[in-house]
Amino acid sequence: MGALEKIREIEAEMARTQKNKATNYHLGTLKAKLARLRSELLIEQTGGSSSGSSGEGFDVARLGDARVALIGFPSVGKSTLLSTLTATDSEVAAYEFTTLTCVPGTMQYKGSRVQVLDLPGIIEGAAHGKGRGKEVIAVARSADAILIVLDAGKEGLNRHREILETELETVGLRLNQTPPDVSFTKKATGGIKFASTVPLTQLGPEPEKVAMQILREYRVSNADILARQDISVDQLVDVIVGNRLYKPCLYFYNKIDTVTVEEVDQLARMPHSCVGSVHKKFNVKEPLDDDLLKTTMWKYLGLTRIYTKRKGQPPDLADPVVLSKLRKGTTVQSLCMNVSSQMLRDFNFALVWGKSAKHSPQRCGLSHLLADEDVVQIVTKTNSQQKQDKNYQKMVQNFADKYHKKKFEAKKQKQSKLKT
């Protein structure tokens, strides 16, 4: 019996089984088997990668302050949305599968540059390779956030949102979730030790027994598990597997001009949803105009604008440094890393004006969390302070070596030119 047949059998058995305290242990075992079989099936189909992203993929350079992937079924308006957001020409037609490759564009908003990727439409079964699904999902795993585009007129009958969520979760993407607060450490010996700091109501009356059975399914005999929150069986499986990616996801219901006001109101009230019409310019305007969709995308990407200033000079409000919570974070240390590694090495303290400061200016360290539109002045160490550093002599020697090497190479190049 193949992996697909086993998966169908387990799914059918889970559908037949009633959910209560008595069957919780049995359902937990089935879920662990199902997750393991799906991982094995993806490894077979993708040539050795359990993440499902080892397909050919689309060769797109990573640019800008953030990356957003447009995912949806064919003919829902992804290409038109890309053209509206970024002023990039993407082929648009009245037939399905117009876009056959990845079309990148750059959205300029609030001083930031967001890379938006228009991907080919995917269909049910994309996680297992149908309709170039592997390549599309591989790009989705590399994005900072996902924008799922749905047709408001078709959503009521076709359940496109549910299908796309299932496809992305199959390959290890967790949408609008946070990693469980669980520490999992494999050991060479000592057996399995399971503990929790809170009551585990979702694992049934015997959570330790359920955890033991799940670990046996993954052939783990020695490990320490400490749960600091009330986790479910699926979350425990995710922690054990360890290759899950947690992405923010926004659902955009396009073509609301084709449905009634009551249906628009119902779609707008769904979690993580935004409604609009690219064709009628509802909530989606021109590339340089502000609108609801751009504002919501900015919030989901967690971008923060920081204005820098030199001593005795006004801040540079024309060119902000854009930090991202999803990449390096929004601390003073992230700002220094974004500007220069030498600035981080010579950092002394920072003066901060803005929402994150208790008073203006506030003297802060590297761990200070910055807010949007803060003004920051970085103060570096003086020469006397740098000389007190234990690595000062090594740093000076490295600088001298680089200088003499560069001088020697320039002399050698000059001599070679004279010979010719």
Side-chain angles (χ1 to χ4, degrees):
M1 185 183 294
L4 276 173
E5 288 76 12
K6 291 180 180 178
I7 288 173
R8 292 193 187 100
E9 277 193 4
I10 293 175
E11 287 177 343
E13 186 175 352
M14 289 176 63
R16 292 194 303 266
T17 306
Q18 294 183 355
K19 294 182 180 180
N20 52 53
K21 291 183 179 180
T23 61
N24 200 49
Y25 174 76
H26 179 60
L27 285 172
T29 306
L30 292 177
K31 287 181 179 179
K33 287 181 179 178
L34 186 62
R36 181 175 56 82
L37 287 171
R38 283 175 174 169
S39 298
E40 291 176 357
L41 184 63
L42 284 173
I43 290 172
E44 291 176 6
Q45 294 179 343
T46 58
S49 173
S50 60
S51 64
S53 60
S54 65
E56 181 182 337
F58 299 106
D59 189 13
V60 182
R62 194 182 183 96
L63 300 173
D65 303 305
R67 171 183 276 193
V68 177
L70 301 182
I71 291 181
F73 277 79
S75 298
V76 294
K78 297 188 299 298
S79 300
T80 310
L81 179 61
L82 176 75
S83 302
T84 305
L85 291 175
T86 66
T88 302
D89 291 331
S90 184
E91 186 178 356
V92 179
Y95 52 86
E96 294 186 347
F97 296 104
T98 308
T99 304
L100 299 177
T101 185
C102 179
V103 181
T106 302
M107 182 181 75
Q108 307 279 348
Y109 185 66
K110 290 185 178 180
S112 67
R113 295 179 299 114
V114 179
Q115 187 182 42
V116 183
L117 303 179
D118 178 21
L119 300 170
I122 63 176
I123 57 177
E124 192 170 2
H128 302 299
K130 288 186 180 180
R132 300 200 74 180
K134 293 179 188 176
E135 292 91 335
V136 173
I137 291 174
V139 176
R141 291 179 66 90
S142 69
D144 296 307
I146 295 173
L147 179 61
I148 294 182
V149 185
L150 301 162
D151 190 335
K154 299 178 181 178
E155 181 60 25
L157 298 174
N158 298 323
R159 302 180 299 106
H160 286 172
R161 176 169 177 161
E162 182 182 340
I163 293 171
L164 291 173
E165 286 176 344
T166 303
E167 295 298 327
L168 294 175
E169 288 183 0
T170 301
V171 296
L173 284 174
R174 299 293 178 261
L175 306 179
N176 298 317
Q177 298 180 27
T178 56
D181 190 5
V182 179
S183 62
F184 172 66
T185 308
K186 287 186 179 181
K187 302 185 299 183
T189 58
I192 296 173
K193 295 181 180 178
F194 182 84
S196 63
T197 58
V198 295
L200 301 177
T201 60
Q202 300 183 57
L203 294 181
E206 298 179 339
E208 186 173 354
K209 186 179 178 182
V210 175
M212 292 278 210
Q213 182 61 30
I214 293 173
L215 289 168
R216 287 194 199 100
E217 286 294 330
Y218 287 92
R219 297 177 176 85
V220 178
S221 303
N222 304 284
D224 288 340
I225 301 179
L226 176 61
R228 300 183 186 88
Q229 73 177 65
D230 188 9
I231 57 172
S232 63
V233 173
D234 294 328
Q235 289 175 317
L236 181 57
V237 170
D238 290 346
V239 171
I240 295 170
V241 174
N243 63 351
R244 307 310 193 209
L245 293 176
Y246 296 85
K247 303 281 185 183
C249 177
L250 176 64
Y251 301 87
F252 177 66
Y253 289 95
N254 191 21
K255 305 179 183 179
I256 60 170
D257 52 307
T258 62
V259 297
T260 63
V261 176
E262 290 76 11
E263 290 174 319
V264 172
D265 181 68
Q266 184 180 0
L267 294 174
R269 293 178 184 275
M270 295 185 70
H272 309 289
S273 298
C274 179
V275 297
S277 174
V278 180
H279 179 64
K280 297 291 185 179
K281 304 297 182 186
F282 294 152
N283 292 336
V284 185
K285 298 181 181 179
E286 297 301 323
L288 298 179
D289 295 337
D290 197 358
D291 55 58
L292 179 62
L293 181 59
K294 294 189 186 76
T295 304
T296 311
M297 288 173 62
W298 172 274
K299 183 180 71 173
Y300 273 68
L301 288 169
L303 298 178
T304 302
R305 293 165 294 174
I306 304 299
Y307 301 108
T308 57
K309 74 178 294 293
R310 296 178 182 271
K311 184 178 180 181
Q313 296 183 7
D316 183 9
L317 302 178
D319 188 18
V321 178
V322 181
L323 304 178
S324 172
K325 293 180 182 178
L326 305 176
R327 291 190 177 180
K328 297 180 181 179
T330 58
T331 60
V332 174
Q333 182 176 359
S334 305
L335 175 65
C336 295
M337 291 170 60
N338 197 300
V339 175
S340 169
S341 58
Q342 185 177 354
M343 180 180 288
L344 181 62
R345 184 194 67 193
D346 300 336
F347 178 84
N348 190 10
F349 62 89
L351 296 175
V352 180
W353 293 261
K355 297 176 184 177
S356 68
K358 295 180 181 178
H359 48 82
S360 296
Q362 180 181 349
R363 179 168 170 163
C364 305
L366 289 172
S367 60
H368 179 75
L369 196 64
L370 298 170
D372 190 32
E373 295 188 303
D374 276 359
V375 176
V376 180
Q377 176 186 332
I378 303 296
V379 180
T380 56
K381 295 177 182 177
T382 61
N383 290 335
S384 59
Q385 287 176 321
Q386 291 183 26
K387 289 179 181 179
Q388 294 175 4
D389 192 346
K390 61 180 181 180
N391 296 322
Y392 179 73
Q393 293 296 333
K394 185 179 179 181
M395 183 176 63
V396 172
Q397 186 63 46
N398 290 337
F399 179 80
D401 292 343
K402 287 181 181 178
Y403 171 77
H404 291 300
K405 184 180 179 181
K406 187 176 180 180
K407 191 174 180 180
F408 175 76
E409 289 177 353
K411 184 179 179 181
K412 191 175 180 182
Q413 189 176 6
K414 186 177 180 180
Q415 290 175 350
S416 62
K417 285 182 178 179
L418 292 174
K419 288 180 181 179
T420 55

